[in-house]
Amino acid sequence: MPARDLYHNHVRNALIKDGWTITDDPLRLRLGKKDMYIDLGAERILWAEKNSSRIAVEIKSFLGASDLADLHDALGQFVLYHDVLQETQADRILFLAVRDTVYATVFESPIGNLLLKNGRLQLLVFSVEQEAIVKWVPEIPTAN
Amino acid sequence: MPARDLYHNHVRNALIKDGWTITDDPLRLRLGKKDMYIDLGAERILWAEKNSSRIAVEIKSFLGASDLADLHDALGQFVLYHDVLQETQADRILFLAVRDTVYATVFESPIGNLLLKNGRLQLLVFSVEQEAIVKWVPEIPTAN
């Protein structure tokens, strides 16, 4: 299994605080002979809909020397995991977890905007200080 | 500008042998304040159609410790460059250049197949020994 991301526990705690149950840490995927590990799997019951939402969360620190290289890396993993999830657990929605400061610098830039506009990524934006979810992009139904 | 890929000249020569004119080495893209460089830009006149094809080619060696990590990396760059090209030079088609041996091990595996089936990548498969294009995935019109 791969090394845990620096913000692994921050995101885990933020999800729990938001009403999610962590079901997988990490979430293992398998296609052919290849194993892949997404950082977290989580589930939440939406009482209003009487059914549950299932997500997979890949956490990216964006602590490399270049935002663009970090973005390639995150985007490549996201697209690959997305397509493998579609084949193997199609009801689980994938999110890339990034810090609020990364969201502001990378995803509010023209390149980040373009990728979001094209539906290439879905984001879970979190605050390190508060260990809390700041927003989902696009928005998902709230638990209330 | 980034360092050249190990197989840069092999792919360049293979394209020329196939009737392409190299127009950019590297091909510069700009979106917002970010510069990006795709390894090669090339053009070919298709006399039958009385117009030209324009391509951009990103070369990936797949010489890392893990095929899966190399695939993330290549896929992330491809998707990003693809989307930026669509915004800035929409008539130019992007290809990822990989060796025939990489095609066989990575892109004929279940994960590679899935990405190709989903239209995530377009490939230019080349032979290092022959400095020649082996095939395009999907096929493109030939010069004849």
Side-chain angles (χ1 to χ4, degrees), chain A residues 31-32 34-36 68 71-72 75-77 79-84 87 110-111 114-115 117-118 120, chain B residues 31-32 34-36 68 71-72 75-77 79-84 87 110-111 114-115 117-118 120:
Chain A
L31 190 74
K34 288 280 184 200
D35 286 320
M36 286 152 277
L68 206 54
L71 186 58
H72 292 162
L75 180 61
Q77 269 188 296
V79 171
L80 184 64
Y81 293 164
H82 174 275
D83 286 12
V84 174
E87 289 293 301
I111 290 178
L114 178 64
L115 294 172
K117 186 189 82 181
N118 291 351
R120 296 295 196 175
Chain B
L31 191 74
K34 288 278 185 202
D35 286 320
M36 286 153 276
L68 206 54
L71 185 59
H72 292 161
L75 179 62
Q77 269 188 297
V79 171
L80 184 64
Y81 293 165
H82 174 276
D83 285 12
V84 174
E87 289 292 300
I111 290 177
L114 177 64
L115 294 173
K117 186 189 83 182
N118 291 352
R120 296 295 196 174

Side-chain angles (χ1 to χ4, degrees), chain A residues 70-136:
Chain A
D70 283 341
L71 186 58
H72 292 162
D73 188 40
L75 180 61
Q77 269 188 296
F78 189 93
V79 171
L80 184 64
Y81 293 164
H82 174 275
D83 286 12
V84 174
L85 276 175
Q86 280 292 108
E87 289 293 301
T88 57
Q89 306 185 31
D91 65 327
R92 205 183 272 279
I93 303 171
L94 179 62
F95 288 88
L96 178 73
V98 296
R99 285 173 292 150
D100 45 7
T101 50
V102 169
Y103 180 75
T105 53
V106 178
F107 291 97
E108 290 186 332
S109 76
I111 290 178
N113 262 325
L114 178 64
L115 294 172
L116 292 175
K117 186 189 82 181
N118 291 351
R120 296 295 196 175
L121 293 163
Q122 307 196 108
L123 302 180
L124 180 174
V125 182
F126 67 97
S127 156
V128 174
E129 297 73 21
Q130 297 167 42
E131 290 202 349
I133 295 171
V134 175
K135 67 171 167 175
W136 304 81

Side-chain angles (χ1 to χ4, degrees), chain B residues 22-105:
Chain B
I22 306 298
T23 55
D24 304 84
D25 182 355
L27 174 68
R28 181 183 172 199
L29 302 184
R30 191 178 176 87
L31 191 74
K33 290 174 184 166
K34 288 278 185 202
D35 286 320
M36 286 153 276
Y37 295 91
I38 303 181
D39 291 314
L40 292 168
E43 192 172 55
R44 193 172 63 173
I45 310 291
L46 291 177
W47 296 110
E49 298 179 14
K50 293 199 177 73
N51 61 22
S52 65
S53 295
R54 298 208 307 155
I55 60 174
V57 178
E58 179 65 18
I59 306 161
K60 282 288 169 193
S61 305
F62 281 76
L63 293 172
S66 147
D67 276 350
L68 206 54
D70 283 340
L71 185 59
H72 292 161
D73 188 38
L75 179 62
Q77 269 188 297
F78 189 93
V79 171
L80 184 64
Y81 293 165
H82 174 276
D83 285 12
V84 174
L85 276 175
Q86 280 291 108
E87 289 292 300
T88 57
Q89 308 184 31
D91 66 326
R92 207 184 271 280
I93 302 170
L94 180 62
F95 288 89
L96 178 73
V98 297
R99 285 173 292 150
D100 44 7
T101 49
V102 169
Y103 179 76
T105 52

Side-chain angles (χ1 to χ4, degrees), chain A residues 42-62:
Chain A
E43 192 172 56
R44 191 172 63 174
I45 310 293
L46 291 178
W47 296 111
E49 298 179 14
K50 292 200 176 73
N51 60 23
S52 65
S53 295
R54 297 208 308 156
I55 60 174
V57 178
E58 179 65 18
I59 306 161
K60 282 290 167 191
S61 304
F62 281 76

